[in-house]
Amino acid sequence: MTGVIEYRIDRRSGVATYLQIVQQTKQALRLGLLEPGDRLPTAREVVEALAINPNTVLKAYRELEREGLVQGRRGLGTFVRRTLGEGGAADGALRTELAQWLARARRAGLEQEDITALFTSVLSGSDSEPTRGDEE
C-alpha cells in the first residue's frame, strides 16, 4: 500500500465539494499516490478534517465507485480498485522537467493563477503558437 490522501477543499473555486473530492482522488490515482488496495479515509475522517456534510463525502465515494475506481466494503471502508496512471520512468522525467519549468515561471514573477492559466491555455490548445518539436 502506498499512502493516504488528504483532501483540501477550495470553497471559492465554484466547483462542488463532492467533485473536488472526486478530482483529487483521481489525481492521486494518476500520480501513483493511491494504488489498488489502498483505503480511502473514512467519511467520518473526511468530515472531521474538512467540516463538511457526511453526505457530500458519501456522494463523492459513490461517484468513484460508479466509475469502478473504488469499492466499498461494509464495516471496513472504501478501497482503491484500480489506478488511472501509466506510471513508470517517463513520469519521473516529465515531473522533473515540469518542476524545473515551474521554478523558472516563479522566478519570472508568475503567480499561481498566472501559471495555472498559462498551463491550461497550452493544455487546451487555445494557445495560438504552433507546437514545435523538442527544443532547447
Side-chain angles (χ1 to χ4, degrees), residues 116-131:
T116 301
L118 179 59
F119 184 81
T120 302
S121 170
V122 172
L123 185 63
S124 68
S126 63
D127 195 15
S128 61
E129 188 173 322
T131 306

Side-chain angles (χ1 to χ4, degrees), residues 5 7 9 16-30 56-65 67 69 84:
I5 185 170
Y7 298 109
I9 301 303
T17 302
Y18 89 94
L19 281 177
Q20 290 184 52
I21 293 171
V22 169
Q23 290 168 349
Q24 289 174 38
T25 303
K26 287 180 177 181
Q27 182 177 13
L29 291 168
R30 280 188 185 90
T56 301
V57 181
L58 296 174
K59 183 175 182 179
Y61 284 11
R62 277 193 307 271
E63 176 67 20
L64 292 164
E65 192 165 3
E67 294 183 29
L69 299 173
L84 290 172

Side-chain angles (χ1 to χ4, degrees), residues 32-63:
L33 301 174
L34 288 174
E35 295 181 351
D38 286 346
R39 184 179 69 82
L40 295 182
T42 65
R44 173 175 278 151
E45 290 168 340
V46 177
V47 166
E48 289 174 1
L50 302 176
I52 60 175
N53 188 306
N55 290 326
T56 301
V57 181
L58 296 174
K59 183 175 182 179
Y61 284 11
R62 277 193 307 271
E63 176 67 20

Side-chain angles (χ1 to χ4, degrees), residues 101 104-115 118:
W101 177 87
R104 286 194 313 272
R106 287 188 174 139
R107 282 193 305 272
L110 295 177
E111 299 291 328
Q112 182 170 337
E113 293 82 9
D114 303 322
I115 293 168
L118 179 59

